[in-house]
C-alpha cells in the first residue's frame, strides 16, 4: 500500500506506508524489456509471441499469476489481460535526482531518500 504517489513523464514515485521510496519507469518498449528479463533468466521465448503472450508466460514462470519481479523489472497482468512492465530503480536517490532536474525541483543534497522522495511527490502533485 502507498501513502502517496506521483507520475512525472514515464516515472512513478511511490511513498510506501513504511515511508520507503520506490521509483519505477514505465517501459517504453515492453517486448524489449521482456526479452531482457527472459534472457537474464535463461528463459526460452518465441520472438513471435504477442506482448500479452510473452508477459503471461513470464508471469506464470516467475510470478504468482498476476505479477512477477525479474531483476529490476516488474511485469504485471491487468484484469483486462493487458501487460504492463516497469523498471524499478535500485539507485532510488539517483533516479530522484534525475526527476528533480527534469521537473526543475530544487532539492537539498543532504536530504535522505525518504525526505527527498516525499518532497518531490508533493512538488509534482502540486504543480500538475
Amino acid at each position: 500500500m502507498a501513502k502517496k504517489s506521483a507520475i512525472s513523464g514515464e516515472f512513478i514515485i511511490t511513498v510506501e506506508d513504511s515511508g520507503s521510496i520506490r521509483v519505477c519507469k514505465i517501459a517504453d518498449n515492453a517486448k524489449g524489456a521482456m526479452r531482457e528479463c527472459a534472457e537474464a533468466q535463461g528463459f526460452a521465448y518465441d520472438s513471435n509471441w504477442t506482448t500479452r503472450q510473452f508477459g503471461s508466460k513470464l508471469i506464470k514462470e516467475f510470478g504468482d499469476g498476476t505479477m512477477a519481479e525479474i531483476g529490476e523489472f516488474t511485469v504485471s497482468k491487468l484484469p483486462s489481460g493487458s501487460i504492463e512492465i516497469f523498471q524499478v530503480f535500485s539507485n532510488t536517490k539517483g533516479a530522484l535526482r534525475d526527476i528533480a532536474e527534469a521537473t526543475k525541483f530544487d532539492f537539498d543534497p543532504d536530504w535522505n531518500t525518504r525526505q527527498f522522495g516525499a518532497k518531490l511527490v508533493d512538488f509534482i502533485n502540486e504543480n500538475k
Side-chain angles (χ1 to χ4, degrees), residues 21-24 71-73 87-95 113:
I21 306 297
R22 181 176 180 199
V23 179
C24 302
E72 282 196 342
F73 291 95
Q87 180 181 8
V88 180
F89 288 88
S90 56
N91 181 356
T92 305
K93 201 163 189 181
T113 304

Side-chain angles (χ1 to χ4, degrees), residues 53-111:
Q53 289 172 313
F54 202 168
S56 293
K57 290 179 186 294
L58 286 172
I59 290 167
K60 183 178 180 184
E61 183 70 21
F62 301 106
D64 63 5
T66 59
M67 184 188 77
E69 292 184 3
I70 306 167
E72 282 196 342
F73 291 95
T74 299
V75 184
S76 298
K77 187 176 198 175
L78 303 177
S80 67
S82 294
I83 300 295
E84 288 184 332
I85 185 161
F86 302 94
Q87 180 181 8
V88 180
F89 288 88
S90 56
N91 181 356
T92 305
K93 201 163 189 181
L96 292 172
R97 279 198 252 1
D98 292 344
I99 298 165
E101 289 173 13
T103 59
K104 310 284 191 251
F105 174 69
D106 293 324
F107 63 92
D108 183 335
D110 292 329
W111 286 341

